[in-house]
């Protein structure tokens, strides 16, 4: 074969660069594969399939809580009391004399509950213990982080609202509690960053959730501001790191 002779077509070698025949059918759920971007395949939306939702706001089921187990065994010194103002907890012992290392984490664990009477006893019990705990609260903070994280990670709006109100009460319950929470922001704040702008748009209607303090976006803003006010000089920079859209309330 001379230098100027043309090589026969059947002797060409593609070395992987030859023209490939595009597939005639792209079967479902290939939205993020190379098939979806092949020019000649022209897959339809039905063939490719829609990308699945990430489910960031989807509620997660709660597992069995230690609070429910202890309540059903009768280990808590509490009872339900009815009066003209509604239901409340009747404590069988003075709250100040309780073992906070034992009882407070259990009541925080009950924040995951959504059914009566467990939800009522856990929520009201936490607020009662925070109100009367004083100096007993600070040493128990490390034991409260996992129950708080579990409650928030349920992504249940009712549970999250209850937990946020508890966090606001917690930071003002005793001296140094707000500062003690700062090292745990990385466990508490990621879920707040997801729901920070999750506000109901009721249009021209009345948003009764704001009157009941059950608007999750507003409660998150209030909670972050409470963390900043009571968390000391390092609070803002740590909040900003986990919730980049948060702006300081101390500059106003």
């Amino acid at each position: 074969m001379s230098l100027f002779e043309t090589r026969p077509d059947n002797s060409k070698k593609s070395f992987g660069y030859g023209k490939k025949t595009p597939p005639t059918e792209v079967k479902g759920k290939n939205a993020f594969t190379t098939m979806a971007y092949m020019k000649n395949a022209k897959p339809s939306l039905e063939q490719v399939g829609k990308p699945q939702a990430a489910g960031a706001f989807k509620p997660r089921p709660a597992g069995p809580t230690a609070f429910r187990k202890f309540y059903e065994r009768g280990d808590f010194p509490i009872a339900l009391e009815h009066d003209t103002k509604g239901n409340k907890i009747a404590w069988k012992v003075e709250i100040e004399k309780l073992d906070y290392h034992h009882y407070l984490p259990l009541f925080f664990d009950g924040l995951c509950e959504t059914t009566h009477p467990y939800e009522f006893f856990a929520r009201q019990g936490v607020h009662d213990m925070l109100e009367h705990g004083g100096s007993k609260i600070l040493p128990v903070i490390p034991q409260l982080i996992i129950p708080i994280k579990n409650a928030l990670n349920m992504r249940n709006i009712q549970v999250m609202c209850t937990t946020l109100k508890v966090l606001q009460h917690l930071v003002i319950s005793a001296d140094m509690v707000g500062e003690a929470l700062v090292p745990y922001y990385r466990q508490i704040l990621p879920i707040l960053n997801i729901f920070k702008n999750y506000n109901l748009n009721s249009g021209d209607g009345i948003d009764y959730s704001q009157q009941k303090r059950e608007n999750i976006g507003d409660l998150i803003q209030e909670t972050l501001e409470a963390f900043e006010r009571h968390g000391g000089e390092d609070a803002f920079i740590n909040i900003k790191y986990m919730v980049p859209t948060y702006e300081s309330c101390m500059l106003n």
Side-chain angles (χ1 to χ4, degrees):
M1 183 182 293
S2 67
L3 181 64
F4 301 103
E5 224 176 300
T6 304
R7 184 184 296 272
D9 289 342
N10 58 5
S11 64
K12 289 182 180 180
K13 295 182 180 180
S14 64
F15 297 103
Y17 298 103
K19 195 171 184 180
K20 295 182 179 179
T21 303
T24 57
E25 182 181 0
V26 181
K27 294 186 178 179
K29 295 188 178 178
N30 292 315
F32 297 104
T33 66
T34 55
M35 290 184 181
Y37 300 98
M38 293 179 68
K39 183 183 298 185
N40 296 326
K42 296 182 180 178
S44 66
L45 184 61
E46 291 76 15
Q47 291 173 318
V48 174
K50 296 180 181 179
Q52 296 182 353
F57 303 107
K58 185 178 180 181
R60 273 62 164 169
T65 65
F67 176 85
R68 179 178 293 209
K69 176 183 175 182
F70 275 71
Y71 176 81
E72 291 178 343
R73 287 196 326 199
D75 290 347
F76 293 130
I78 56 177
L80 186 61
E81 180 178 321
H82 304 276
D83 61 13
T84 56
K85 297 181 180 179
N87 297 333
K88 67 178 183 178
I89 291 182
W91 292 89
K92 299 177 182 178
V93 298
E94 294 183 24
I95 301 177
E96 294 82 355
K97 295 181 179 179
L98 290 173
D99 181 358
Y100 270 60
H101 279 279
H102 175 69
Y103 285 108
L104 192 58
L106 285 174
F107 275 91
F108 266 81
D109 182 64
L111 294 176
C112 291
E113 294 287 350
T114 57
T115 57
H116 187 79
Y118 312 107
E119 179 269 339
F120 169 76
F121 277 119
R123 172 173 47 84
Q124 192 60 46
V126 164
H127 284 294
D128 287 350
M129 293 188 72
L130 292 179
E131 187 174 345
H132 297 87
S135 60
K136 289 186 176 183
I137 298 173
L138 182 61
V140 192
I141 293 298
Q143 295 172 252
L144 306 180
I145 303 305
I146 291 179
I148 292 171
K149 181 180 177 182
N150 290 341
L152 293 174
N153 282 338
M154 281 182 62
R155 305 180 191 219
N156 179 300
I157 298 301
Q158 175 190 347
V159 172
M160 290 185 69
C161 289
T162 298
T163 306
L164 290 169
K165 293 174 186 176
V166 167
L167 286 173
Q168 293 179 27
H169 192 174
L170 179 63
V171 296
I172 62 172
S173 61
D175 294 337
M176 304 296 293
V177 169
E179 295 181 25
L181 287 172
V182 174
Y184 302 104
Y185 283 177
R186 294 195 176 199
Q187 299 181 55
I188 299 174
L189 298 189
I191 192 69
L192 303 192
N193 185 42
I194 295 174
F195 281 83
K196 183 174 182 292
N197 296 319
Y198 191 84
N199 280 311
L200 296 175
N201 184 3
S202 57
D204 294 332
I206 300 174
D207 185 3
Y208 291 101
S209 65
Q210 291 182 341
Q211 299 177 13
K212 298 178 182 178
R213 294 186 70 241
E214 293 178 355
N215 190 307
I216 186 71
D218 293 342
L219 278 173
I220 288 174
Q221 181 66 26
E222 292 175 13
T223 304
L224 294 176
E225 291 178 1
F227 280 0
E228 182 184 359
R229 289 191 183 98
H230 301 280
E233 58 183 10
D234 295 329
F236 173 71
I237 191 171
N238 282 277
I239 295 172
K240 187 72 173 177
Y241 181 78
M242 300 307 301
V243 188
T245 58
Y246 176 73
E247 297 297 335
S248 176
C249 65
M250 305 294 285
L251 302 178
N252 298 332

